Amino acid sequence: MSSAAAIDPEYVAELERQLATARALLAASEEANARLERMLAQARHARFGVSSERGDPDQRNLFTEDCEVAEGQLAAAADAANKALGKASRKRSSAKRNKGNLPDHLKRVEEVIEPDSTLCPCGCGEMVKVGEDRTQRLDVVPAQFRVLVTVRPKYMCRTCDGKSHAQAPAPEFLVPRGLGTNRFAVHSVVAKFCDHLPFYRQAEIWRRDGIEIDRTMLANWAGRIAFQLAPIIDAMIGELKASDRLFADETTVPVLAPRTGKTRKDYLWAVVRDQRGWGGGDPPIVVFQHSRSRSAETAKKIFTGFKGGSLTVDGYAGYDALGDPKKTNQPWGITYCWTHWRRRFVEYSRTTASPICTEMKERIRQLYRIEADIRGKDPDVRRAIRQKLSKPIVDALRPWLEAQLDMLSSSSDLARHIRYGLKRWAGLIRFLDDGRIEMDTNAVENAIRPIPLTRKNALFAGNDDGAVTWARMASLVGTCKLNGINPQAYLEHVLEKILNGHMQEDIQNLLPWNFKPDEARHS
């Protein structure tokens, strides 16, 4: 009897079962390990990498700035050498950036440079001016502090024993008997909420000029400005309530919890109206509102009184209640963001090569090429082109994804990313039937981007009132940016109007898009 024939078949079957079990465990372990590696890579990218897959062009410019610095040093050295040798500097073609673009409203200060003598060397007498060369260069005067002394003369009639007298009324100041002017207070607020320079850093900068202003005073001024401008925020919310095509998103804001010394995670909710993508006539608006919660109830509270329509959001489930007729009296058509869905495949492909991700990104890229061509066109034109060009791409995408899903493990990350979109399919394709709907939430994401920058520099809001001030000032500064308005000039103008008794019924004239910089400069 051979040794092969002596092997017990049951023993062989048991070994095969153990081998199969080991292979299954190994596959599961490899899948778990791959998932952990992807999570680690994504965490590293989230902390140290760029936040957008497109990248920031300013960051790319950092690598060329050093080259430009070196070029400037070489040019200066060549000019110095030529001057020492008595040679004329070789004329170089100058960059045309910014050339001839000095704004007309800037003050012109003429500096006339006369020769040492205008007497003719031949002894003929005084020479006659026959022309001049004029060169315009941009100059800057570093921030200069000054003390504004307000003088109000008093007048009295001596004939009638002082019964008649006259004096101009005192101007209204943001802080009665305060240290700073209204313009100074606005400058501080814009520096923080527009340029992301927290109050304590401003105080350090001014201290170099011997100006001692505590950051708590600056914060107090900001709160006073926010209080005075609250009616404008209310009017902006009223404008939003009359709109039926909006965007919404939310971001975290740390707030110092009372008597704990710790910060809690609150939220600023952003609601945006931006019709520029389809040539709408209403001006763009962004309004932020502070809340301690990110719940669906908070979303319902924020949108109370709105007329409903289409609301473009990311995939956060908190907005779903706004589209449910059983949960709200004015249900919205919830439209989901293609960029958020695409981002999942971009993140996955950073750590794992996947032809599914490559194909998915290419198909979405085709849709965005179409969107780039129709941006700003009439809604009916946009809808017609989408129906003709975009709809076939979208119609073919779903069955393709469902087929890929059948070949993937149900627990895999890639399958989860596919199901994310299929679950929200009705909201993702809503843009095909309405030219006034965008494919993504880029409008609100761009408006909300300054909040993390300010958050990073300012660290936290001191209390709920500070968070409310943050929301109000971010609303005004953000809306100014959307409308191409200088926040400093606008806030100075509108604060002066309100402090001097601008009537509530004229509040519409104080909204950012109605601000006329030329009139303000000459007022």
Side-chain angles (χ1 to χ4, degrees):
M1 187 175 182
S2 66
S3 59
I7 298 177
D8 186 357
E10 293 183 1
Y11 176 70
V12 173
E14 179 62 25
L15 289 178
E16 291 177 346
R17 284 194 295 271
Q18 293 179 5
L19 180 60
T21 301
R23 286 174 174 171
L25 292 173
L26 179 61
S29 176
E30 290 176 344
E31 171 64 24
N33 186 56
R35 179 178 297 183
L36 290 174
E37 289 180 351
R38 285 195 298 271
M39 292 172 62
L40 179 60
Q42 290 168 2
R44 286 174 175 166
H45 177 78
R47 183 173 183 182
F48 303 110
V50 295
S51 60
S52 170
E53 53 264 28
R54 285 178 52 190
D56 188 341
D58 289 335
Q59 288 183 338
R60 292 195 295 270
N61 290 339
L62 292 176
F63 298 101
T64 63
E65 285 179 358
D66 287 339
C67 298
E68 292 164 352
V69 168
E71 181 183 352
Q73 290 177 342
L74 292 175
D79 291 342
N82 289 329
K83 184 177 181 180
L85 296 173
K87 298 180 180 179
S89 298
R90 183 171 60 88
K91 187 175 181 179
R92 294 181 295 272
S93 58
S94 59
K96 296 184 178 180
R97 298 185 299 271
N98 303 327
K99 189 174 182 179
N101 291 332
L102 299 180
D104 293 335
H105 72 268
L106 293 181
K107 179 181 178 181
R108 261 63 177 176
V109 179
E110 289 196 1
E111 180 186 41
V112 181
I113 305 176
E114 295 281 3
D116 293 337
S117 175
T118 58
L119 295 176
C120 178
C122 302
C124 303
E126 190 79 17
M127 289 186 285
V128 178
K129 180 179 178 180
V130 294
E132 63 184 13
D133 292 330
R134 300 179 71 91
T135 303
Q136 293 193 45
R137 296 172 181 265
L138 186 63
D139 189 27
V140 60
V141 178
Q144 294 181 343
F145 291 96
R146 64 181 186 180
V147 178
L148 184 62
V149 181
T150 303
V151 180
R152 296 188 298 126
K154 296 180 180 181
Y155 296 90
M156 181 180 296
C157 177
R158 296 187 180 276
T159 304
C160 55
D161 298 329
K163 294 180 180 179
S164 300
H165 59 274
Q167 184 182 28
E172 293 292 334
F173 295 112
L174 177 69
V175 184
R177 298 179 298 280
L179 182 64
T181 63
N182 298 342
R183 181 184 296 111
F184 189 87
V186 168
H187 173 78
S188 175
V189 165
V190 171
K192 176 173 180 177
F193 296 103
C194 183
D195 302 323
H196 323 298
L197 192 64
F199 291 141
Y200 78 89
R201 290 187 185 174
Q202 295 183 47
E204 290 174 356
I205 293 171
W206 298 335
R207 192 172 293 117
R208 293 198 293 264
D209 284 320
I211 308 297
E212 292 288 343
I213 298 182
D214 191 81
R215 60 183 179 83
T216 58
M217 183 182 295
L218 301 179
N220 179 272
W221 293 352
R224 288 173 177 267
I225 292 176
F227 172 80
Q228 295 291 344
L229 301 184
I232 295 181
I233 305 296
D234 294 338
M236 289 166 58
I237 294 175
E239 288 277 333
L240 290 175
K241 288 183 177 180
S243 304
D244 60 357
R245 296 294 183 276
L246 298 175
F247 303 83
D249 200 358
E250 73 289 330
T251 187
T252 59
V253 54
V255 177
L256 190 63
R259 297 180 297 277
T260 65
K262 299 179 180 179
T263 59
R264 65 170 188 265
K265 185 168 68 173
D266 286 10
Y267 295 88
L268 292 185
W269 295 69
V271 181
V272 169
R273 180 180 73 190
D274 192 342
Q275 302 177 352
R276 291 174 293 181
W278 50 273
D282 294 333
I285 307 173
V286 56
V287 170
F288 293 90
Q289 296 188 59
H290 166 252
S291 172
R292 292 193 181 184
S293 170
R294 196 193 180 202
S295 66
E297 289 301 318
T298 301
K300 289 166 59 178
K301 181 180 179 181
I302 288 175
F303 283 91
T304 299
F306 283 66
K307 64 184 293 185
S310 173
L311 183 65
T312 304
V313 299
D314 57 19
Y316 174 51
Y319 295 104
D320 292 347
L322 298 177
D324 189 345
K326 299 179 181 178
K327 297 181 180 180
T328 179
N329 295 328
Q330 295 290 347
W332 291 82
I334 302 298
T335 302
Y336 292 113
C337 174
W338 282 80
T339 297
H340 278 80
W341 192 18
R342 177 183 180 274
R343 196 170 294 153
R344 288 171 167 260
F345 295 97
V346 171
E347 294 291 338
Y348 186 91
S349 62
R350 282 197 176 105
T351 57
T352 306
S354 169
I356 296 177
C357 289
T358 302
E359 179 67 18
M360 185 66 180
K361 289 187 291 183
E362 176 57 32
R363 296 196 184 201
I364 296 179
R365 187 178 295 115
Q366 293 173 7
L367 293 175
Y368 272 103
R369 290 195 189 108
I370 299 170
E371 291 299 305
D373 292 337
I374 64 176
R375 179 165 179 78
K377 296 185 181 296
D378 183 81
D380 292 336
V381 174
R382 284 160 59 93
R383 181 185 181 280
I385 294 177
R386 285 170 172 174
Q387 289 290 316
K388 180 180 179 180
L389 301 179
S390 302
K391 192 173 187 301
I393 299 174
V394 174
D395 288 344
L397 182 60
R398 178 162 190 164
W400 178 78
L401 286 172
E402 290 173 341
Q404 305 307 313
L405 202 57
D406 291 339
M407 296 185 292
L408 294 170
S409 168
S410 60
S411 61
S412 69
D413 287 341
L414 192 52
R416 181 164 53 86
H417 298 332
I418 293 176
R419 288 195 299 268
Y420 171 92
L422 295 180
K423 179 182 177 181
R424 297 165 174 81
W425 191 256
L428 284 168
I429 67 172
R430 187 167 279 118
F431 79 100
L432 296 173
D433 298 317
D434 191 338
R436 297 171 297 172
I437 296 178
E438 301 294 340
M439 273 185 63
D440 51 45
T441 59
N442 288 357
V444 67
E445 285 201 8
N446 291 335
I448 216 170
R449 188 168 289 123
I451 300 296
L453 293 175
T454 303
R455 179 178 64 211
K456 180 179 180 181
N457 291 331
L459 301 182
F460 55 81
N463 49 43
D464 284 357
D465 291 338
V468 170
T469 296
W470 194 338
R472 289 177 178 174
M473 299 314 305
S475 301
L476 291 168
V477 169
T479 302
C480 283
K481 287 182 176 181
L482 289 174
N483 288 275
I485 298 297
N486 181 344
Q488 174 78 29
Y490 167 73
L491 291 175
E492 281 183 28
H493 172 74
V494 75
L495 185 60
E496 179 183 356
K497 289 290 186 180
I498 289 179
L499 289 175
N500 285 281
H502 196 93
M503 300 301 291
Q504 176 68 27
E505 55 264 26
D506 296 331
I507 199 71
Q508 289 292 324
N509 294 330
L510 298 183
L511 294 176
W513 50 88
N514 293 325
F515 173 64
K516 297 178 175 57
D518 292 336
E519 294 181 5
R521 272 197 292 269
H522 295 95
S523 60

